[in-house]
Amino acid sequence: RVGLPDKANAYPAQLSGGQKQRIAIARALATNPKVLLCDEATSALDPNTTHSILTLIKDINQKLGITVVVITHQMSVIEEICTRVAILDGGEVAEEGRVEDIFAHPATDAARRLVYPGGVSAKQYPAGTRAVRVSFNGGTVYDPLIASLAIDCGVKVTILGADTRTIDGKAFGTMLLLLPDDPNEAAKALSYIRSQPNITAEEVEYHA
């Protein structure tokens, strides 16, 4: 089941980190569990091995019908294999729900720190900066929003910051766009952005 039929007689010292992790999963499966608890299962693995272990865990969930509870600080792990997520802050659940919902609209500071660790903020820009925070809520990943604004509306905007990701082939995340100084141009850009499917927009303005 875990892809190591040739390692049945091997000693632990003869196994790589990824193979040891697969053996640990096999030992857990041998008890015929209803729930598989994975506590930081990929934290010490290289990216390729991490992907293979996550693929195995997802396969176990889908083919054996075993619920998998993943404890991790790696948001990429959540994106790749989880369907629901709970954000813990100080030992308490700060937020929970479907992965796509939490990643599209993190409602608490704890969730925002994890989902967007770099932050998407206009605070480093001059007072009076007029911008729009665009949230991508699961549309096509490669929708050329910025190019479409320029081509369809003749409006050019500047990207102040962005933190987006792909989950199950769909786009989630936020982008902060600097609006034109001309009020009419800004209004045209806002109207166009808000007319797009799977996108929400919130205007933000910072004062001294």
Side-chain angles (χ1 to χ4, degrees), residues 47-69:
N48 288 334
T49 305
T50 291
H51 178 70
S52 70
I53 293 297
L54 293 179
T55 299
L56 172 61
I57 292 173
K58 193 170 185 177
D59 185 67
I60 288 169
N61 168 251
Q62 294 176 346
K63 293 184 177 178
L64 299 184
I66 296 174
T67 297
V68 180
V69 178

Side-chain angles (χ1 to χ4, degrees), residues 63 70 77 85-86 106 109 122 128 135 142-143 150 186 194 202:
K63 293 184 177 178
V70 178
V77 171
V85 62
D109 288 339
S135 296
Y142 299 109
D143 279 346
R194 287 170 173 158
E202 171 194 11

